[in-house]
Amino acid sequence: AHTRHIFWISTRRRDPLFVQFATMELPGALPNNAPRTHTTQPILTGTSVLAVKYADGVMMSSDTLASYGGLARFSNIVRLHPVGDNTLIGCTGDLSDFDQVKRHLHDLIVEDFCADDGDKITAPEIYSYLSRLLYNKRSKMNPYWTSLIVGGVSNGKTFLGIVDKLGMNFEEDFLTTGYGSHLALPILRNKWKPDMTEAEAKALLDECMRVLFYRDCRTINKITTGKITGAGPASVSAPYSVTTEWDLESFKKSKSSGDSAGSW
Amino acid sequence: MAVTYGEGVDSGVIVGADSRTSTGSYVANRVSDKLTPVHDSIYCCRSGSTADTQAVADYVRHFLAQHAITLDSKPQVKTAAYLFQKLVYNNKDRMSASIICAGWDPVNGGSVYCVPLGGACVQQDFAIGGSGSTYIYGLMDASYRVGMSKAECIDFVKKTISHAMARDGSSGGVIRLAAIDKTGVERFFVGGNDLPFTPQ
């Protein structure tokens, strides 16, 4: 275990009680030679992010909840973040780690500005940087506990990719994180088509977000949708709600009757 | 949760609950009915393991039905609560069931009994339970008043359950209510779009 060593000249250093205090084991501490870890479990978290390529670029959607375990702690957190002029990223997972990622990306933007070479950093470059960053942290057993979706348009090409806390990364036409991968991805696989209009893309994402609000415990019905096109920096909408349906007859009916507790 | 209102034989109870059943962070049922009758005018609010509470409620309903026949009248709420207590207490190491038993009987009027995890039985003017209840203890303490009317109680229950649903990830969906008094049981439904309070 972790042993504290106190090295300073002291007239008391041979006093047995002092020596005992100076060299005692800290309760609950890991051994001195164990790797130092930092982020071992996510604390304040955001749930799914969804993203699709559409005619003008990339559209991304997430809710505005930060969960503290089961507690819906902060309900006005925007998890979609424009980076520079050409990129939009969305984050699932630990939000303190997302803050760190945002600081790294800000440094990249400043460096890009100082280079002053007529080119602005693009989405594929951000994606590549993030995949190296997250893989490096994972390899030091101190991950950024996040899944990041990176989207953008540059040189007329639309880009959409994902990086997770292990450094796994790939590109696709539509991407999901968290519960979205279980609940929304099948819907997107069925309904996504290339070159949707903005309205079609938003309707598709809203449909997926509705399902997630119904079936993911860690959501609220307050959603932001961001889009990134070739025409200037990403824009993230103000929070809005999707319509939900609760008044089917079979829902309203009391389930307990006659023979069984039934109440399911 | 369950709240008593009124005086003597004119008193009654309002029982209310959300409708979310979750397996981890997946919503297994978004419109569940957690208010279960164990007799004509005695309901229980179930929280904890759904399997355990359904089984216990089934047993209590079975025993109460027989008891009502031998008694030849409506059983008392405290009897139902005692049956819940016996089952939860004797199986405390095998079960995760936390139950609020509430209803109306001709002897005592409306009453509420709380049978939490260990199998104690505590009578109260109002009781709250379940994971979301932790977020509304303060609200209850601050706003509950003895002697509310039936209508005030109904609004009170709707409001406090909404607040719990807004903060607890394991609570959500719709609000189901039942008002139980000497005239019987009246059930209410508040859909997910009509909640008095939602996350800000």
Side-chain angles (χ1 to χ4, degrees), chain A residues 38-254:
Chain A
H38 192 207
T39 305
T40 52
Q41 50 161 329
I43 306 289
L44 189 67
T45 57
T47 187
S48 330
V49 175
L50 315 175
V52 292
K53 285 189 188 176
Y54 72 110
D56 306 334
V58 167
M59 191 175 285
M60 226 182 264
S61 202
S62 73
D63 72 3
T64 62
L65 179 65
S67 298
Y68 191 66
L71 169 62
R73 185 134 187 204
F74 304 110
S75 44
N76 57 356
I77 304 293
V78 180
R79 298 188 283 113
L80 306 177
H81 179 70
V83 181
D85 286 345
N86 298 317
T87 318
L88 177 66
I89 65 170
C91 174
T92 292
D94 189 275
L95 293 175
S96 70
D97 286 343
F98 184 39
D99 281 347
Q100 294 303 109
V101 166
K102 284 194 272 192
R103 284 188 197 122
H104 282 295
L105 291 175
H106 179 70
D107 289 348
L108 261 196
I109 298 299
V110 167
E111 200 186 301
D112 188 46
F113 175 80
C114 293
D116 196 19
D117 55 5
D119 263 339
K120 295 254 180 79
I121 195 164
T122 61
E125 296 168 296
I126 303 272
Y127 163 79
S128 177
Y129 174 80
L130 287 175
S131 81
R132 295 305 87 214
L133 178 69
L134 266 57
Y135 182 72
N136 180 253
K137 292 282 288 168
R138 158 266 191 208
S139 300
K140 299 194 285 196
M141 289 301 288
N142 188 6
Y144 284 142
W145 203 288
T146 57
S147 293
L148 298 160
I149 296 186
V150 184
V153 181
S154 47
N155 305 319
K157 287 185 36 193
T158 307
F159 175 88
L160 182 59
I162 184 170
V163 187
D164 78 358
K165 62 179 172 294
L166 303 178
M168 181 219 62
N169 57 90
F170 62 91
E171 301 169 47
E172 248 300 352
D173 294 329
F174 48 87
L175 289 169
T176 57
T177 61
Y179 259 83
S181 301
H182 297 272
L183 298 171
L185 196 53
I187 301 176
L188 293 176
R189 283 173 177 162
N190 261 337
K191 297 200 173 176
W192 181 88
K193 49 193 207 316
D195 298 314
M196 291 184 290
T197 63
E198 182 178 330
E200 286 174 321
K202 181 165 188 298
L204 180 57
L205 287 181
D206 282 354
E207 184 188 338
C208 294
M209 294 304 284
R210 178 179 303 111
V211 171
L212 289 172
F213 172 64
Y214 285 152
R215 293 298 181 178
D216 180 2
C217 286
R218 312 280 180 249
T219 58
I220 51 171
N221 191 359
K222 214 171 142 200
I223 285 147
T224 52
T225 298
K227 59 183 212 274
I228 177 87
T229 63
S235 61
V236 179
S237 74
Y240 63 95
S241 299
V242 289
T243 54
T244 55
E245 196 170 357
W246 298 96
D247 55 2
L248 267 50
E249 264 322 299
S250 61
F251 291 175
K252 284 165 52 168
K253 212 166 57 148
S254 140

Side-chain angles (χ1 to χ4, degrees), chain A residues 1-5 25 29-37 141:
Chain A
H2 197 95
T3 314
R4 121 179 6 147
H5 295 286
E25 289 180 357
L30 295 170
N32 272 338
N33 55 0
R36 218 163 65 95
T37 60
M141 289 301 288

Side-chain angles (χ1 to χ4, degrees), chain A residues 70 72-73 75 215 251 263-264, chain B residues 27 29 33 167 169 176 200:
Chain A
R73 185 134 187 204
S75 44
R215 293 298 181 178
F251 291 175
S263 329
W264 168 258
Chain B
V27 179
N29 187 350
D33 185 357
R167 284 293 185 177
R176 294 193 193 274
Q200 304 295 286

Side-chain angles (χ1 to χ4, degrees), chain B residues 92-197:
Chain B
K92 64 161 87 181
D93 48 344
R94 279 182 281 267
M95 274 206 309
S96 170
S98 179
I99 289 180
I100 298 173
C101 182
W104 183 90
D105 64 66
V107 178
N108 307 107
S111 45
V112 171
Y113 294 82
C114 198
V115 180
L117 246 36
C121 185
V122 180
Q123 183 181 12
Q124 301 178 277
D125 286 335
F126 70 85
I128 55 176
S131 59
S133 69
T134 56
Y135 304 110
I136 52 173
Y137 275 97
L139 181 64
M140 295 293 289
D141 290 341
S143 46
Y144 175 75
R145 289 169 296 111
V146 177
M148 286 192 281
S149 69
K150 176 175 169 179
E152 286 177 316
C153 257
I154 290 176
D155 277 339
F156 176 64
V157 170
K158 284 182 191 170
K159 189 182 81 160
T160 39
I161 293 181
S162 291
H163 276 272
M165 286 161 69
R167 284 293 185 177
D168 179 31
S170 310
S171 303
V174 307
I175 300 179
R176 294 193 193 274
L177 297 145
I180 311 169
D181 61 16
K182 66 174 188 255
T183 64
V185 178
E186 191 186 354
R187 296 216 47 157
F188 302 92
F189 176 89
V190 181
N193 295 317
D194 305 318
L195 301 173
F197 179 81

